Amino acid sequence: MGGGDGRRIDAFVSYSRAADSRLAPSIQRGLTRLARKWYRIRALHVFRDQTDLSASHALGASIERALADARFFVLLASPAAAESKWVAKEIEFWQRNRTSDTFLIALTDGTIRWDDAAGDFDWSATDALPRSLSGYFEAEPLWQDLTWSRDADRLSLWHAGFRDAVATLAAPIHGSTKRDLDNAEVKEHRALLLVGALATALILTLAVSFGIQYWFATAERDRANANARDATVMSAIQRAQVELANAETGYDVRAYGRLMAARSLAGKPSVEGAAYDAALDAAYSRPNLLRVTEVDSGADSRAAMTVDGGRVAFGGKEQPTLWSPGTGRPSGPDLEAADTTDSRVLALAFSRDGKRLAAAYQTAVVLWDMASGKKINEFAKDRRTTASLALSPDGTTVAVAGGGLRIWDADSGRSLGEPLGVTGDRVVFSPDGRKLAFDALNNGGSEVHVRGLDAEGADEVVIPYPHDMISTIAFAPDGDSLAVGTEDGRLQLRDPDSGEAAGRAVSGHQGAIRAVAFAADGSRIATAGADRTIRQWNAQTGSPIGFPLTGHAGPVDFVAFSRDGSELVSLGEDATLRRWDARNALLRTGPDDASAPDALAVDPRGQKVAVGSREGVRVFDQETGAQVAALDLPQGARSLSYSPDGTSLLIVSADGLRLWEEGAEPRTVTLDSSVGPVAGAAFMPYGRQIVVGSYAGKLLFEDLDAKAAGTPSASIDITCAAGHLAVSKDGMQVAYACDDTGGVADAEAGKVRTFEAQDRVTALAISPDGRTLILGTLDGTVWRLEHGAEALVGVGVHRGAVHSVAYGPDGRWFASAGEDGSVVVHPHGAREISARIPAHTGPVEAVAFSRDGGRLISLGADKTARVWHTFRDPAGALCERITYNMSESDWKKWISDSFGYRDQCAGKPRAHG
């Protein structure tokens, strides 16, 4: 049966590498192994170009020799194969030299349908075969359906369906029926079993004598390999942590790759845990970062972004290239080549609708249509220096600065007026397209000029900067103000009509401001600097928003907001395009002369954040950070609690208890006179019931009516004033603390289980499942009391007091906030810390999770509140940030050449190199 003599090819496998590079090797192995005699190397000689072509041979000649020597042709049919020019040539050769009875088909994707009436394939439905096979078969051929194999985990002859398919293909090649082939396989298997039994007896005899020695040697080798692998994992983690610790290095792409490689190599729980914790810590080290794209190395930092934030153009070789900030991949049409021979783009600008892109070269200005990539116009071949380009909002006018200011009609290329001989490098259009702002040098200083397009300079406004150099200019979206950045790192808003300063100048960058951008609503300004950072500012007050965004390894020359203001895009001289979460930022909780806040509550609906201080309560929109309400309270607010529906806020002050509902004034909560002064209070998780801790040593459960009057429903004696209260998710348990003692009260049974801490309790929280109580104490320890346990278990976490603890709604995480300015994220049930966030410049007074658990809010004594992402899958979060897996050469250089390459992030392509 069969050839298999090694001198002639039994079957030639033709396929599309793009579609069937995984399946073709399995088909080849199956044909060579099915019904193989035990003394032969292979059952059939099967040719597949991936394995049988030498790199030294010419591709065409090698394939023709193989086709000429082959007895059967096996086509792995798919739409990709039908479109492949190489598959087409192989089929054409076979049709010229062989009959159709030697042509076998295995369908791997797409559709094959035979038309009995026409005696040919139904080409209206068939997409897996090339049209050249039309009329080749005299009758309907038998093809094997392997489309199911794409979802199979493993393809081998042990797989019943795959074995049957291979047998169907192999039978005509062997010149046998499938049944005879199976019988032959059974006979060979029996013979092999007999030979194997005899051989096994001999081998076992020898193996017994060497087995123990081999076992010890193998165990020692495995231990050595495991130790080496663990050492490699820990080394990768440590190097990544060093790279991320120094924000100025900017090697976060490399660091993330190291951490993901460490995760893929980790072989035991302790090392896997270390890799997990390092990934979580890395995710929190730059929480705003959404994605880093390493763009073409030939690109510089000349860039522009469409108003909707969907596309970025950056300067490259010969013409600009287009990228999507969302995917980190090229996006849009290839741009038609310009006529100019200049190879470097000096400036870029989009029209407001994103339909046009203008690029300035040394000797020309080029305009493209963004829908087709076709060139609209090329003009201004004046060989003047170009430093900046502006395209009017409607895309009809182009202005270029550098070597003078020149203005052209974009469609005709006609010059609009004579060039202005100013010696500046920057120019921008106003949002309505009626004005231009540009800079100029003047006696060792600089100045900003603002003038109308249709005037001869009569209405021109000049804003002098006699002791500094202007580095960037930008109009606000409404055109009512002009932002001017300087080389010394100052940002000043100006009235473009008068030139007068609008508010104070702000500063924060160490060095020049290289780019500035307004959010679409004009409420925020983003600046990018030579100091490698990006900063946000409140456009009304000039106060900073958030910490500087770090990660670029060089000066940042481009920054822009997305349309909704939720994201920032930046491009640096390190050739990385970065996408940031612009909302994950600090919010000012009060004026500079206000006291530090110390109470925090998050609206269960996910809309508002309430902050309490000695002056009262301020309420902010959680998404935008805008203040929506200010409640002035003479005695301030010591603690806050939202009702389950988020419509009411319970405020504990030194002089009593108040209830606030949006749109109304705070009302005093009326309780029975026997209650006495209130130490603490909180809403229960249902209705309008509250629990009150009184100085009289009781927990009181009160039902509030529409007039904020309490009706007693139950009480529990606790013998102390409960200033700290926490309620379980089901409302069945209430935890309280008084100095260094406390307890957990069963709200239904009225029983109390008490505990005693080793220091004064400063914060407490109950897990959502009600089985774990978390305490924070004055000495910086976080304690756990598990359900049924007698003793508290503590871990030293903060340097100084723990000010707040909070559980996420799903119970997987809890967070603690401390005197040392940090927020620490802990996994539920574990005793170690997973991530420490340097959250504020002073003590962190409170911490809370959003209702969906996706955000973590921290409140600082530095009069700020900060909103953080929660990274439930830190490894996945890091993979979202990078575009490519590291290259194999980088794996050997950064990880190890002793362990084979492993993809760090599933679905990501490998970098070249």
Side-chain angles (χ1 to χ4, degrees), residues 284-285 547 821-823 836-841 866 868:
Y284 276 116
S285 70
F547 293 130
S822 70
V823 171
R836 183 182 297 275
I837 311 168
H840 294 270
T841 57
R866 192 170 191 189
W868 308 81

Side-chain angles (χ1 to χ4, degrees), residues 486-503:
T486 58
E487 291 286 343
D488 66 353
R490 289 186 301 146
L491 178 70
Q492 176 76 68
L493 293 184
R494 297 277 186 171
D495 184 329
D497 295 325
S498 67
E500 295 296 323

Side-chain angles (χ1 to χ4, degrees), residues 372-524:
S372 63
K374 298 293 185 182
K375 187 173 63 174
I376 297 173
N377 203 354
E378 182 170 348
F379 53 89
K381 300 179 180 180
D382 55 10
R383 295 194 173 275
R384 289 173 178 260
T385 301
T386 297
S388 177
L389 175 144
L391 184 62
S392 63
D394 61 5
T396 61
T397 308
V398 175
V400 172
L405 180 69
R406 294 96 74 202
I407 306 172
W408 293 275
D409 178 85
D411 292 315
S412 66
R414 179 175 55 86
S415 177
L416 302 179
E418 294 297 320
L420 298 180
V422 292
T423 53
D425 292 334
R426 290 150 196 90
V427 60
V428 292
F429 275 98
S430 63
D432 60 8
R434 295 179 179 178
K435 292 182 180 180
L436 276 176
F438 52 93
D439 70 323
L441 301 179
N442 184 10
N443 296 325
S446 59
E447 56 193 22
V448 176
H449 295 244
V450 182
R451 63 181 293 171
L453 281 180
D454 53 357
E456 295 297 329
D459 64 343
E460 186 169 341
V461 175
V462 179
I463 307 170
Y465 281 79
H467 306 297
D468 206 351
M469 302 299 294
I470 295 164
S471 57
T472 186
I473 311 170
F475 274 100
D478 59 8
D480 290 342
S481 60
L482 182 72
V484 180
T486 58
E487 291 286 343
D488 66 353
R490 289 186 301 146
L491 178 70
Q492 176 76 68
L493 293 184
R494 297 277 186 171
D495 184 329
D497 295 325
S498 67
E500 295 296 323
R504 63 184 179 87
V506 298
S507 61
H509 288 282
Q510 302 300 311
I513 295 177
R514 304 284 284 266
V516 62
F518 282 86
D521 62 3
S523 63
R524 283 173 293 155

Side-chain angles (χ1 to χ4, degrees), residues 525-566:
I525 303 172
T527 55
D531 60 357
R532 309 177 182 182
T533 69
I534 300 158
R535 298 169 186 263
Q536 291 190 72
W537 311 87
N538 184 301
Q540 298 299 319
T541 65
S543 58
I545 302 175
F547 293 130
L549 305 181
T550 61
H552 278 290
V556 186
D557 288 329
F558 171 78
V559 66
F561 279 98
S562 60
R563 183 189 290 272
D564 62 2
S566 64

